[in-house]
Amino acid sequence: MNQKTKKTALPKRLVSTVLAAVMVMASYIPAEASFVTTSVSSLPVSSNEAYVTASINTASGTRTYNVFNQFRFGRNRKDYIPAHGCAVCSLTTVLSGYKSRYATYTPNTTRFVLEKAVFGKSAWKKNYSKSINGQMPVTLYGISRILKKCGIRNKYVSSFSSDNKVYKVLTSHLRKGEAVVIETNNRRQKNGRISSSYDSKWARSRHTMVLLGLTENGNVIVADSANRDWAGGSQRIKLASLKDLIAHMVPHSPSGKSLYYNGSKCYSGYILVNP
């Protein structure tokens, strides 16, 4: 081997070694980097059932949720769950998907067992000893507390002022197939500024829902306990653009940490489940 050959042989070996190392490193790219979607054809089409099950693809496998019809958990629409139960229905949906021990829970089970156990009998009784109209839904802060107590990691973000930033955060989370709990309003908002015009597309007053993941065409899979005329026969699972949902979210509310709605303290923002 001449001197020129010796000089070029070592770099080739080095290049081969580097390429091999890159291939090994690529095999360790974390699952979070993947873009997980769920096919629209696999989602339930429903209207009147008490609940449906929805299987959502995640970065670590499939997660199955129970999605409840709040109007089927009471004697009439004036009972607590039909009238005020969107938040506890959403909480029970998340519980069913993330912990198998809660897969048989109904919204009423969550309300009478978990709320009482986590918040304490005094706070629970203070809310539910009132008339039906005075019994308030659990807040996002309260939902976050219960999820943590049940061993489900989550991050509660109480306010936002940039639609673009929250869009990026929620998109990144939903692409992993992880759930987001949101609070919607009967007013649209843009970058934290709430419009004075009434818009009841996602809420007649305030409404809690769960975003389960994304479809192959980028729509958000929404678990909704309420019925909307515009949704036709697909009520429990609705599909929507994330930008439209953000435009209807509650961006901020007065400070404080109330377990149940307290006047305007509906506790805005969102919850990232399993962040």
Side-chain angles (χ1 to χ4, degrees):
M1 182 180 293
N2 58 35
Q3 188 66 27
K4 183 178 181 180
T5 304
K6 288 181 181 178
K7 287 182 180 179
T8 58
L10 183 58
K12 286 183 178 180
R13 288 196 209 99
L14 184 58
V15 169
S16 298
T17 302
V18 171
L19 286 174
V22 169
M23 292 177 67
V24 170
M25 290 174 66
S27 68
Y28 288 95
I29 293 176
E32 291 78 22
S34 61
F35 186 167
V36 183
T37 64
T38 297
S39 173
V40 173
S41 62
S42 70
L43 298 172
V45 177
S46 61
S47 180
N48 295 318
E49 301 93 331
Y51 73 96
V52 299
T53 58
S55 295
I56 305 298
N57 295 327
T58 77
S60 57
T62 302
R63 183 175 291 118
T64 301
Y65 297 91
N66 297 329
V67 183
F68 300 93
N69 178 351
Q70 68 184 86
F71 305 109
R72 294 294 298 273
F73 290 89
R75 293 166 297 178
N76 55 60
R77 286 178 177 260
K78 293 183 180 180
D79 278 354
Y80 178 79
I81 297 295
H84 305 292
C86 61
V88 72
C89 284
S90 295
L91 168 57
T92 311
T93 290
V94 175
L95 289 168
S96 71
Y98 281 85
K99 289 288 182 179
S100 59
R101 65 180 294 186
Y102 302 113
T104 60
Y105 269 47
T106 68
N108 276 317
T109 313
T110 301
R111 180 164 69 109
F112 285 105
V113 176
L114 289 180
E115 283 186 27
K116 186 186 294 184
V118 177
F119 298 162
K121 290 183 180 180
S122 178
W124 184 87
K125 188 175 181 180
K126 182 179 179 181
N127 186 58
Y128 291 110
S129 63
K130 300 174 183 177
S131 65
I132 290 294
N133 286 338
Q135 296 175 20
M136 292 291 100
V138 59
T139 61
L140 291 186
Y141 170 73
I143 289 174
S144 177
R145 284 271 302 270
I146 291 175
L147 291 177
K148 287 179 181 177
K149 194 69 175 181
C150 292
I152 299 173
R153 293 190 303 110
N154 68 90
K155 180 181 179 181
Y156 171 45
V157 179
S158 61
S159 64
F160 62 89
S161 59
S162 168
D163 292 355
N164 186 51
K165 286 183 180 179
V166 76
Y167 178 85
K168 290 179 179 179
V169 170
L170 298 192
T171 297
S172 176
H173 196 70
L174 291 168
R175 281 180 171 180
K176 305 172 191 175
E178 302 294 350
V180 182
V181 186
I182 67 169
E183 191 82 18
T184 54
N185 199 0
N186 59 6
R187 302 282 192 277
R188 293 175 67 89
Q189 72 81 34
K190 184 175 182 180
N191 294 321
R193 299 189 67 174
I194 301 174
S195 169
S196 60
S197 301
Y198 184 76
D199 185 336
S200 62
K201 180 177 182 179
W202 290 105
R204 292 178 181 175
S205 55
R206 300 284 192 274
H207 187 57
T208 309
M209 302 186 297
V210 186
L211 313 184
L212 302 179
L214 298 174
T215 66
E216 61 269 37
N217 60 358
N219 281 329
V220 180
I221 302 166
V222 184
D224 188 2
S225 63
N227 294 333
R228 308 289 174 195
D229 290 341
W230 56 261
S234 185
Q235 293 293 341
R236 301 290 68 76
I237 295 293
K238 299 179 176 72
L239 303 179
S241 76
L242 182 56
K243 288 184 178 180
D244 181 56
L245 289 164
I246 291 172
H248 288 85
M249 285 169 61
V250 185
H252 51 75
S253 65
S255 61
K257 294 182 178 179
S258 176
L259 300 170
Y260 296 100
Y261 279 40
N262 181 10
S264 62
K265 296 178 182 179
C266 58
Y267 288 85
S268 52
Y270 54 90
I271 301 171
L272 301 175
V273 185
N274 198 28

